[in-house]
């Protein structure tokens, strides 16, 4: 709450005595920008980013994305049923217009994300509206450290500004550039 003019070796950000939403957003942005730049794009590929789709239900989104991944040879034929099975266990919408569906068990050779933006928000479950979907795949038998990937995904979906910027992009390349 007090400006510090001296260089003390760590970043300093002045906030109000009583934190408001603006302060919290600025703190989140500072923390997420301190992570390794470009980390999100290592989980993405332009062939797995779909922009402004006219899909109207959770099931149609999952069907579309599953079909695309099957065509690309990245997932097995029964993949869609694994993702739908997970949705029955607990919804994967997280607020901020974002959902992160994923299969009940890992079935891919690599850890990657598939992004899809919708022209209009859809009801993902009884309460949450969704317009940005990040279909998450974790490498089968992965025993590696996924903390940084989860951190990056978490900071991405919690950042209203970034989500809004992703939603207005017109191409996969624009989204990749934003996330670098």
């Amino acid at each position: 709450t007090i400006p510090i003019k001296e260089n003390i070796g760590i970043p300093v950000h002045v906030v109000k005595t009583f934190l408001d939403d603006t302060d919290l957003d600025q703190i989140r942005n500072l923390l997420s920008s301190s992570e390794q730049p470009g980390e999100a794009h290592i989980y993405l590929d332009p062939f797995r980013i779909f922009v402004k789709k006219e899909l109207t239900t959770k099931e149609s989104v999952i069907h579309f994305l599953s079909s695309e991944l099957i065509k690309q040879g990245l997932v097995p034929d029964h993949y869609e049923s694994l993702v739908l099975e997970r949705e029955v266990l607990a919804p994967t919408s997280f607020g901020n217009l974002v959902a992160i569906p994923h299969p009940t068990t890992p079935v891919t050779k690599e850890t990657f994300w598939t992004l899809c933006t919708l022209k209009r928000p859809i009801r993902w479950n009884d309460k949450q509206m969704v317009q940005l979907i990040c279909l998450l795949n974790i490498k089968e038998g992965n025993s590696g450290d996924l903390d940084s990937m989860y951190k990056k995904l978490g900071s991405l979906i919690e950042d209203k500004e970034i989500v809004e910027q992703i939603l207005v992009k017109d191409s996969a390349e624009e989204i990749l550039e934003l996330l670098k």
Side-chain angles (χ1 to χ4, degrees), residues 1-15:
T1 59
I2 300 170
I4 300 174
K5 302 287 184 210
E6 299 85 31
N7 181 358
I8 59 171
I10 58 172
V12 175
H13 180 74
V14 179
V15 295

Side-chain angles (χ1 to χ4, degrees), residues 46-175:
F47 295 107
R48 295 189 308 262
I49 299 175
F50 305 93
V51 180
K52 295 187 177 178
K53 292 298 181 184
E54 294 230 25
L55 301 165
T56 58
T57 66
K58 167 177 64 175
E59 292 77 14
S60 65
V61 170
I62 291 170
H63 176 74
F64 169 76
L65 294 175
S66 298
S67 297
E68 290 298 319
L69 294 178
I70 290 168
K71 278 188 229 171
Q72 293 178 29
L74 297 169
V75 298
D77 290 341
H78 69 288
Y79 179 81
E80 182 177 347
S81 65
L82 294 173
V83 178
L84 290 170
E85 186 179 303
R86 172 60 183 83
E87 287 294 323
V88 170
L89 296 174
T92 56
S93 55
F94 291 92
N96 198 25
L97 294 175
V98 178
I100 307 176
H102 50 280
T104 50
T105 56
V107 292
T108 57
K109 293 184 184 346
E110 295 301 322
T111 296
F112 64 88
W113 304 345
T114 305
L115 288 185
C116 180
T117 64
L118 303 175
K119 280 195 175 185
R120 286 170 290 289
I122 62 170
R123 189 164 301 286
W124 196 260
N125 58 32
D126 290 342
K127 298 176 186 168
Q128 302 285 339
M129 297 300 284
V130 167
Q131 195 171 4
L132 171 62
I133 299 90
C134 179
L135 181 55
L136 174 61
N137 284 283
I138 303 298
K139 180 180 178 180
E140 191 174 14
N142 188 3
S143 59
D145 181 19
L146 296 171
D147 284 349
S148 66
M149 188 275 300
Y150 284 123
K151 243 183 178 172
K152 189 61 184 172
L153 185 57
S155 68
L156 178 76
I157 65 169
E158 289 177 2
D159 189 328
K160 283 184 185 226
E161 231 176 85
I162 292 289
V163 170
E164 288 171 7
Q165 289 176 33
I166 290 170
L167 291 174
V168 298
K169 298 299 182 192
D170 292 316
S171 71
E173 291 75 18
E174 290 178 24
I175 291 173

